[in-house]
């Protein structure tokens, strides 16, 4: 399958290149960027020398549709809602890694992204591609979930779907490496500010909250809200989420573990740790895995779920390729069996 | 005042040297270590060259009591419960940075430290030196609190003392830099294992839990337990604690902030951030400050408290010197106005 | 081709697994370790869960030779010189990643490794597998070069082979990440000691010096010695080598660049940067590339060569697989076109 | 002594505050900044809360001279050459941490800083404050040396003054932490770009080269040039310089060590390591020390000098205070006996 990537110079775009170059059924035919037109990608990104030498082309939907069979948008929020319309109207397959097509309810995008939304019917049509849960996309326009949203939803799904927790008790303490903050320069991603530091940067205000709530409420309408904060830790890649919720009935450590083990039995990319064992961040870096460990406090009835994923793979480019595999009808593992980089 | 330090080669001992060398009323007269007897401390620790050249002496209580007025123990747990007895019996002032004299209830030390405890009457006598709360030590034997315990207690004190939260709702998500793991070599403190990583290492099983519970229940007997986990983040110094609890009544963000602001008005070393502002780890490194920011989720009634401290200063040597100041009747800030190292 | 790996739990062994699992012509049939016999590798290394579940078996040469066609030794120095003999005597293919078969001259191994050497005839027979230079192994016993040696030799080859420098003027200032120090716990690889630090650890005494000199003198007998020091920088992977030598005749920046460009034209894994451009460490991590930039100081006639490589890939497992490809007569790139992990 | 600081929000300015707040003979009376006028410094820099609450004032030379006795400029290059003139003309003491008054030769500033220079007579008058070498400033206008220049000059002084090396053989391989790159956002100081990386950023083109040459030639006119490159290593603070030069006569390791030991006998802030021992970066962080280890290669006659210093202390604010002490006639150690932060 011939594909194009728009927005190829951001971290998700670069990771998409890494994954697709090793995908047995895909060929990257063209790459596109607003900002660096004409230059070879390997001039801009020297790690790609001898591996990919396509030029950064301007974005011409007609030409892209003529030459390829699917387009990825790895652009920042606010771009694909404008540019993807030409593709969507032509019923051309689009996988969008940004937040532009994720939120269905009226006014939500405007509220959280401080910007006008994509056309409402596109929002309704778009398939929210939580790839381990939805293997048959309902639309050729796939909204790839956010990195925090992916980890949080995978972390909470068994508790919320099985309705075993108090609906107002969910607390999500999420930590991310700096690649999650993107390649744009900012105070918080300046080395001297983030090295040897940890900073809480969004208290109940991260833009992934509405897509998390939209999905949680689809699973269980009784959950009214979650406590959700995000911190930066001094690593390049990786998200480490500690989720807490209070069981509404007495359970045991073993009950909780079996719940997760059974729930994720058939989902290849979610690996449940052994009992009383918790994943570390490094064990999934570079791969499409999301690893989980669980605990239960028998006095307070608090369930703790520790979840790790690579924000650029499972939280972005990897899940996008998993959605591509679903859309194309290939095995979902195709091109995604990368071994984690360890050490 | 002439003092001795026993266990001077561990990280807390080294930090004690740094602080005491700059303390205007204290002179380090002798330093002691089981393992490196005879060698000059500056041979062992080249950063001290020209600053301190005392030899590492064996531990001779009689000689130490003859030459000094107070002794610090910066030894690992399990040492001072044996060696400090000679000093305590002679009513000689001891400030112990280890866990050996912190737990009063019968069997607690045995349970959490897997070791026989100090003599029970010493445990009863010992003053638990939570220095911002207790300015008049009740004993010449001071048990300096643990680093996680200090941060957790300062973080929760207003909520627990004022009884405004549901007693079973407390969750403490604590992260520490690697110096907290000590200078002994271990898998978890091997650079390749901890760099670019985050690891949850003790789920409801850290040995600081009992001293936290002992103090919380002193403040409010209704709190039966807390959910408490500890993770390692790839920094050298610093503890970042996110505490959660559910308010038992409706409040506002502002109410919570005023509660903390008023509560800590008179405590110099606890600095409450501006409203809707949260401390980062770096802003206290090298200093005796403990900085706090608070939030309130109006849907779930969850209060979030973000607390940062330097595990080697406020969490160990700094608080020990603050206790020394209390014991000696000096201003508690004496020798402790170190400016945080920033950047 | 069916292969076995002996010494699979060290960093080079783990990396060999990562590469071979993705190699289209190789199957890992068995893995072996002295220390963890019986346990599944994925219990020991959770990142491999669902990817490789072979048990760690004891080392039985007869059984290994019956079941496989080639064996890798990824053991520390001192092991393969004992255990590999059974394989070598049976003329069974061995690729040894340790230093045991690299040094030919009498007494050199004893001097630098402080240990008795392998049998002298094996040392003479062994093929020193500097894989970008020797594409036809002269023996089934391949001594895979050391990580510093690989980078240093690639860095200096054009200067030494073309005899354009003063023979006593070579200075190699080599820096390595901590994975180069291995998985054994040590003071220098303790996070608190190596984080935020840089340490020179071997001044003209690193055990890779003799294999570098052996090869340099093969290329140019006039080079009597080099100045060679190694430092640790706080990263997990990667070697950054700055080499200096004084040109014996006047040259220009452009002359030096063309020398390197031409010299490495046909060597796929050595990538010469654009003129006046220098590689950074990150651009090769996870890949088998060795990237080089050069400069010339027109006043002092000093040539500077900046060389980067991943110590675990090009400096160990990757080069070992490149040697396997040479030995098997496959394209040297087979299984080695991994894209660098960036960011 | 009452002092003012202009340019207080950069890293050198912040470090100057840290040092001066602990200096027994100095009071910071006012702080000034172009950009943040009016705001309290502790609002801008939360680590200073309760420690310094002066407002950031505009720069009014008349008012500053009326209220203080000396002014520090911790501004970027290009500012003090304009603003300091008013002070210099009034013969008011100025210590300038920027590069504006360091270069004496005509056209040098223009060439290296791409900007018009300060008035030539001011350049001639200014005292180049290499504080360990010049204890009696020759002017009230002190040009504080650059961080790389300080380390390089201290590293080479014995070799160059004693004329024991070949004049064209000097090679300086300098590595710096990211605080050396300043607080301005840039690609090279973006966490994701610098973490887990090492990058050579200026090959024979760093703006500290001319001040190094100016001083080296003052010591020994025969040195025509040096090979000088600078790299970034992923730490916040610290400079690690490896200098090489070829001895023009046969020496021994011990000769070289005695040369350094004797040369620096009387210079408190330069600490020579034991023989065959090399300083690590961490042993001087936070202090005004510059630590040195030396080696000699008996085959190639190459002398290696390993030098470490804290770029913000000895390389900036600390040396500035040392110059203040010289100017005021105080002991040079006054306020500068900070213990290195370790670990």
């Amino acid at each position: 399958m011939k594909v194009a990537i728009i927005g190829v110079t951001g971290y998700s775009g670069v990771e998409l290149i890494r994954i697709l170059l090793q995908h047995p059924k895909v060929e990257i035919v063209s790459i596109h960027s607003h900002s660096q037109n004409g230059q070879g990608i390997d001039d801009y990104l020297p790690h790609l020398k001898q591996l990919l030498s396509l030029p950064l082309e301007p974005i011409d939907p007609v030409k892209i549709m003529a030459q390829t069979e699917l387009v990825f948008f790895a652009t920042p929020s606010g771009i694909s809602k404008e540019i993807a319309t030409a593709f969507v109207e032509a019923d051309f397959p689009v996988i969008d890694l940004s937040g532009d097509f994720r939120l269905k309810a009226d006014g939500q995008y405007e509220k959280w992204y401080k910007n006008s939304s994509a056309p409402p019917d596109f929002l309704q049509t778009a398939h929210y591609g939580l790839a381990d849960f939805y293997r048959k996309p309902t639309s050729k326009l796939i909204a790839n979930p956010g990195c925090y949203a992916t980890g949080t939803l995978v972390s909470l799904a068994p508790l919320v779907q099985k309705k075993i927790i108090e609906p107002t008790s969910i607390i999500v303490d999420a930590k991310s490496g700096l690649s999650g903050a993107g390649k744009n320069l900012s105070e918080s991603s300046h080395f001297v500010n983030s090295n040897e530091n940890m900073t809480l940067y969004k208290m109940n205000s991260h833009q992934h909250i509405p897509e998390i709530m939209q999905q949680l409420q689809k699973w269980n309408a009784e959950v009214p809200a979650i406590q959700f904060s995000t911190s930066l830790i001094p690593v390049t890649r990786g998200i480490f989420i500690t989720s807490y919720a209070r069981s509404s009935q007495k359970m045991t450590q073993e009950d909780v573990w079996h719940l997760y083990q059974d729930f994720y039995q058939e989902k290849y990319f979610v690996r449940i740790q052994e009992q009383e064992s918790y994943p570390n961040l490094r064990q999934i870096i570079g791969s499409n895995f999301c690893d989980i460990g669980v605990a239960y406090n028998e006095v307070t009835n608090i369930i703790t779920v520790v979840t790790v994923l690579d924000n650029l793979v499972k939280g972005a480019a990897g899940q996008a390729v998993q959605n591509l595999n679903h859309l194309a009808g290939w095995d979902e593992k195709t091109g995604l069996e990368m071994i984690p980089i360890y050490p």
Side-chain angles (χ1 to χ4, degrees), chain A:
Chain A
M1 182 187 285
K2 292 176 195 296
V3 306
I5 308 173
I6 295 177
V8 81
T9 61
Y11 296 148
S12 296
V14 173
E15 188 69 359
L16 209 41
I17 290 175
R18 185 175 78 95
I19 295 173
L20 292 176
L21 282 178
Q22 298 174 336
H23 193 292
K25 304 201 170 190
V26 172
E27 181 193 356
I28 303 173
V29 166
S30 66
I31 56 178
H32 307 266
S33 162
H34 264 302
S35 47
Q36 266 89 7
N37 296 329
Q39 197 182 9
I41 184 73
D42 52 342
D43 288 339
Y44 183 71
L45 293 167
H47 77 282
L48 290 177
K49 191 169 177 180
Q50 298 177 191
L51 298 168
L52 185 71
S53 60
L54 292 174
L56 287 158
E57 295 182 45
I59 302 163
D60 177 341
V62 173
K63 191 172 160 199
I64 292 172
M65 288 191 274
Q67 295 177 341
T68 72
E69 297 159 73
L70 181 144
V71 64
F72 289 96
F73 278 83
T75 44
S77 286
I79 307 291
S80 55
K81 75 185 175 75
E82 307 291 345
I83 302 178
T85 49
F87 296 91
V88 178
E89 280 162 0
D91 203 29
F92 190 85
V94 170
I95 297 177
D96 179 30
L97 280 73
S98 85
D100 283 10
F101 295 97
R102 294 179 196 150
L103 303 181
K104 302 206 173 290
D106 212 40
Q108 284 290 87
Y109 185 85
E110 286 81 349
K111 175 181 170 190
W112 291 90
Y113 289 84
K114 319 285 181 217
N115 199 345
S116 63
S117 79
D121 50 330
F122 289 7
L123 293 180
Q124 291 311 318
T125 312
H127 170 78
Y128 186 68
L130 193 65
D132 296 305
F133 289 79
Y134 300 108
R135 288 170 173 169
K136 295 194 187 305
T138 57
S139 161
K140 285 184 183 166
L141 168 57
I142 295 181
N144 207 54
C147 52
Y148 282 124
T150 300
T152 300
L153 290 170
V154 172
S155 152
L156 297 174
L159 303 181
V160 170
Q161 288 192 22
K162 302 297 182 189
K163 304 191 181 184
I164 61 167
I165 55 168
E166 294 180 10
T168 60
S169 71
I170 300 174
I171 293 170
V172 178
D173 189 306
K175 304 94 183 170
S176 175
L178 270 291
S179 63
K183 73 165 186 161
N184 285 335
L185 306 182
S186 69
E187 289 296 331
S188 63
S189 57
H190 193 55
F191 182 88
V192 172
N193 292 340
S194 43
N195 181 45
E196 291 292 289
N197 205 355
M198 177 166 177
T199 312
L200 191 150
Y201 69 106
K202 286 194 177 170
M203 178 64 81
N204 290 319
S205 57
H206 196 281
Q207 69 276 12
H208 290 175
I209 293 175
E211 66 181 279
I212 294 169
M213 287 313 304
Q214 172 178 286
Q215 186 64 37
L216 289 181
Q217 292 180 336
K218 203 165 158 182
W219 287 337
N220 182 340
E222 286 167 24
V223 175
I226 58 174
Q227 164 63 30
F228 188 86
S229 60
T230 47
S231 297
L232 290 174
I233 53 173
V235 304
T236 295
R237 285 179 181 229
I239 287 181
F240 189 107
I241 295 175
T242 322
S243 304
Y244 301 96
R246 196 201 302 240
S247 169
S248 46
Q249 65 213 63
K250 275 281 165 205
M251 300 180 74
T252 65
Q253 166 87 23
E254 212 172 321
D255 292 340
V256 178
W257 183 80
H258 278 297
L259 168 65
Y260 274 77
Q261 181 70 8
D262 294 349
F263 189 94
Y264 283 112
Q265 195 70 40
E266 301 298 314
K267 301 194 193 304
Y268 177 76
F269 291 115
V270 182
R271 302 188 298 189
I272 307 302
Q273 302 295 295
E274 297 303 301
Q275 285 201 50
E276 302 190 41
S277 164
Y278 306 96
N280 65 61
L281 199 60
R282 289 275 298 283
Q283 72 185 47
I284 47 75
I285 295 303
S287 83
N288 199 46
F289 290 115
C290 178
D291 286 1
I292 291 182
V294 293
Y296 183 69
N297 184 316
E298 305 209 343
V299 180
T300 63
N301 296 342
I302 300 285
I303 296 165
T304 304
V305 185
V306 178
T307 307
V308 295
L309 65 158
D310 184 324
N311 54 306
L312 298 180
V313 188
K314 174 50 95 182
Q319 184 161 227
V321 173
Q322 198 178 346
N323 278 317
L324 165 68
N325 291 342
H326 289 331
L327 198 64
W330 303 325
D331 184 310
E332 71 170 349
K333 300 200 287 279
T334 314
L336 286 176
E337 295 185 274
M338 299 94 71
I339 320 296
I341 296 283
Y342 180 88

